[in-house]
């Protein structure tokens, strides 16, 4: 049986190490890695340091990092985004985070997200609740879209982006006329952590990279929220999209996405 408490301690220490590296590297270079996508020296330094740390502490567990790919066990593995929100970070915008989730089969069971410039760490373990520091989190209880602040994930880039972004534009129109506010924060880790924290009522991320989402998905669920795929079905590591929402708005958000997608 997986010892979630022990692995949560490892995850906490890992993101604390990452936070120290991010805060200490006051100068860095930025390189392109795709269409309107980038990587910094900090992304690479954090991932390399955490890969080495996790290999020492949990050698039996695999790891998938955004920058270096997958190594080891593919049934039980760490999903790591060393700097989620690199575009923000590279411009000095403090909305970025380190995201580390333990994926067991199709779902995450341990999570730690550190927001280095906002001085908060979010953690969760399956069945044990979600926390910001020592404060237990509770997702939004909102039941009306007109009361909701909803974040939307970044627009697609690269091959096929034009077609994918038609849905995003339709979703903006759909939600913009009905919710209290729409926000683009530029970091899936923050989007999901803030749904868990009740700061956001929903987050619609029309993609599902495990390093971006798996830690935050567990936070939302352990805070009493719901995470589904684009069709409203249960979210897993194989999902096409990541829609996180307070339970009272699930049906309305899913219906809005369906209207936009059609």
């Amino acid at each position: 049986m997986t010892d979630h408490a022990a692995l949560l301690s490892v995850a906490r220490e890992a993101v604390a190490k990452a936070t120290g590296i991010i805060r200490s590297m006051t100068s860095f270079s930025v390189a392109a890695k795709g269409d309107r996508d980038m990587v910094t020296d900090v992304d690479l330094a954090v991932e390399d340091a955490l890969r080495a740390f996790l290999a020492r502490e949990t050698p039996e567990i695999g790891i998938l990092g955004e920058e270096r790919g997958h190594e080891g066990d593919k049934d039980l593995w760490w999903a790591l985004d060393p700097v989620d929100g690199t575009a923000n970070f590279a411009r000095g915008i403090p909305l970025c985070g380190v995201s580390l989730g333990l994926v067991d089969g199709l779902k995450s069971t341990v999570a730690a997200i550190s927001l280095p410039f906002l001085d908060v760490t979010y953690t969760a373990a399956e069945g044990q609740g979600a926390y910001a520091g020592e404060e237990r989190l509770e997702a939004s209880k909102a039941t009306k879209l007109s009361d909701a602040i909803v974040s939307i994930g970044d627009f697609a880039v690269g091959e096929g982006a034009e077609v994918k972004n038609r849905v995003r534009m339709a979703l903006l129109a759909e939600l913009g006329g009905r919710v209290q506010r729409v926000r683009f924060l530029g970091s899936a880790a923050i989007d999901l952590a803030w749904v868990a924290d009740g700061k956001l009522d929903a987050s619609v991320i029309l993609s599902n990279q495990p390093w971006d989402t798996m830690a935050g998905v567990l936070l939302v669920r352990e805070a009493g929220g719901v995470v589904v795929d684009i069709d409203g079905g249960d979210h897993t590591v194989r999902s096409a999209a990541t829609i996180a929402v307070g339970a009272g708005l699930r049906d309305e958000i899913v219906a809005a996405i369906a209207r936009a997608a059609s």
Side-chain angles (χ1 to χ4, degrees), residues 64-109:
L64 170 66
E66 179 176 8
E67 309 304 338
R68 306 294 195 192
H70 206 143
E71 294 179 4
D73 195 330
K74 293 190 177 180
D75 293 319
L76 183 66
W77 45 277
W78 295 106
L80 168 66
D81 194 333
V83 181
D84 183 67
T86 297
N88 285 349
F89 172 72
R91 295 292 188 101
I93 299 170
L95 298 180
C96 61
V98 182
S99 182
L100 182 63
L102 180 69
V103 181
D104 189 346
L106 296 178
K107 296 187 177 182
S108 44
T109 57

Side-chain angles (χ1 to χ4, degrees), residues 78-228:
W78 295 106
L80 168 66
D81 194 333
V83 181
D84 183 67
T86 297
N88 285 349
F89 172 72
R91 295 292 188 101
I93 299 170
L95 298 180
C96 61
V98 182
S99 182
L100 182 63
L102 180 69
V103 181
D104 189 346
L106 296 178
K107 296 187 177 182
S108 44
T109 57
V110 170
I113 292 176
S114 173
L115 308 185
F117 303 112
L118 301 182
D119 198 27
V120 61
T121 298
Y122 292 95
T123 57
E126 187 176 49
Q128 298 176 30
Y131 294 83
E134 301 301 318
E135 181 180 353
R136 188 153 186 167
L137 302 181
E138 186 174 22
S140 168
K141 301 294 187 184
T143 58
K144 297 190 297 182
L145 281 180
S146 58
D147 294 332
I149 295 180
V150 180
S151 69
I152 297 179
D154 285 341
F155 275 65
V157 297
E159 185 177 355
E162 182 178 354
V163 172
K164 294 175 183 177
N165 285 333
R166 290 174 190 161
V167 177
R168 289 162 171 80
M169 292 299 295
L171 183 62
L172 276 175
E174 175 70 33
L175 293 177
R178 302 184 66 193
V179 303
Q180 187 182 102
R181 293 290 186 276
V182 173
R183 295 287 181 257
F184 284 87
L185 301 178
S187 166
I190 292 179
D191 287 341
L192 295 168
W194 284 1
V195 172
D197 204 0
K199 298 179 187 297
L200 298 170
D201 301 282
S203 172
V204 180
I205 303 169
L206 295 180
S207 62
N208 183 45
Q209 299 291 0
W211 51 80
D212 288 330
T213 60
M214 293 311 290
V217 165
L218 182 65
L219 286 174
V220 173
R221 287 175 168 157
E222 288 295 318
V226 175
V227 190
V228 297

